[in-house]
Amino acid sequence: MRLKSELYKKEQEEIVDKIVKILDLENKTEYTLYELDKNEEIQKQIMELIPEIRKYYSFNGIKAVGEPNKIKRPWLSIIKHLIKQKYIMV
């Protein structure tokens, strides 16, 4: 059986690009947790990606995708897990 990372490489890159676009990381290079906590539009848009993430990623390591209601900030967990492919998070 082939891994989802092999089968859906293009789709995974598109999801990461969507997150980068939502966060506007090309123009704004840094965010504070306070800013993200207050911006409900970003949170909503990230949470709307969960069905796509479930389809194209093996989400065993991403608890926020499997059980988002058990985590305080599931949108932050998704951001951190997926954009670490292209960006360094501090």
Side-chain angles (χ1 to χ4, degrees):
M1 178 176 245
R2 295 179 61 191
L3 298 173
K4 284 188 174 182
S5 59
E6 294 173 2
L7 292 172
Y8 303 118
K9 186 165 183 66
K10 180 180 165 232
E11 290 86 350
Q12 289 179 358
E13 289 174 2
E14 289 173 359
I15 291 173
V16 171
D17 290 340
K18 286 180 186 178
I19 293 173
V20 168
K21 187 175 181 179
I22 290 169
L23 294 172
D24 194 27
L25 290 177
E26 294 165 355
N27 298 318
K28 183 173 179 162
T29 58
E30 57 185 55
Y31 279 93
T32 62
L33 184 56
Y34 177 80
E35 289 175 300
L36 291 174
D37 275 340
K38 298 299 178 194
N39 194 330
E40 292 182 13
E41 184 62 30
I42 287 177
Q43 294 173 23
K44 180 179 162 273
Q45 290 177 9
I46 297 294
M47 295 304 287
E48 288 173 352
L49 293 175
I50 287 179
E52 283 184 71
I53 295 169
R54 285 182 176 161
K55 184 175 181 180
Y56 298 121
Y57 280 89
S58 173
F59 59 91
N60 292 335
I62 315 172
K63 193 169 196 146
V65 175
E67 303 172 280
N69 50 347
K70 289 189 175 183
I71 295 182
K72 183 176 179 180
R73 294 182 180 109
W75 46 269
L76 182 61
S77 179
I78 292 169
I79 292 169
K80 287 169 57 175
H81 189 79
L82 297 183
I83 69 167
K84 70 181 178 186
Q85 301 168 9
K86 291 187 174 184
Y87 292 88
I88 297 172
M89 302 246 336
V90 180

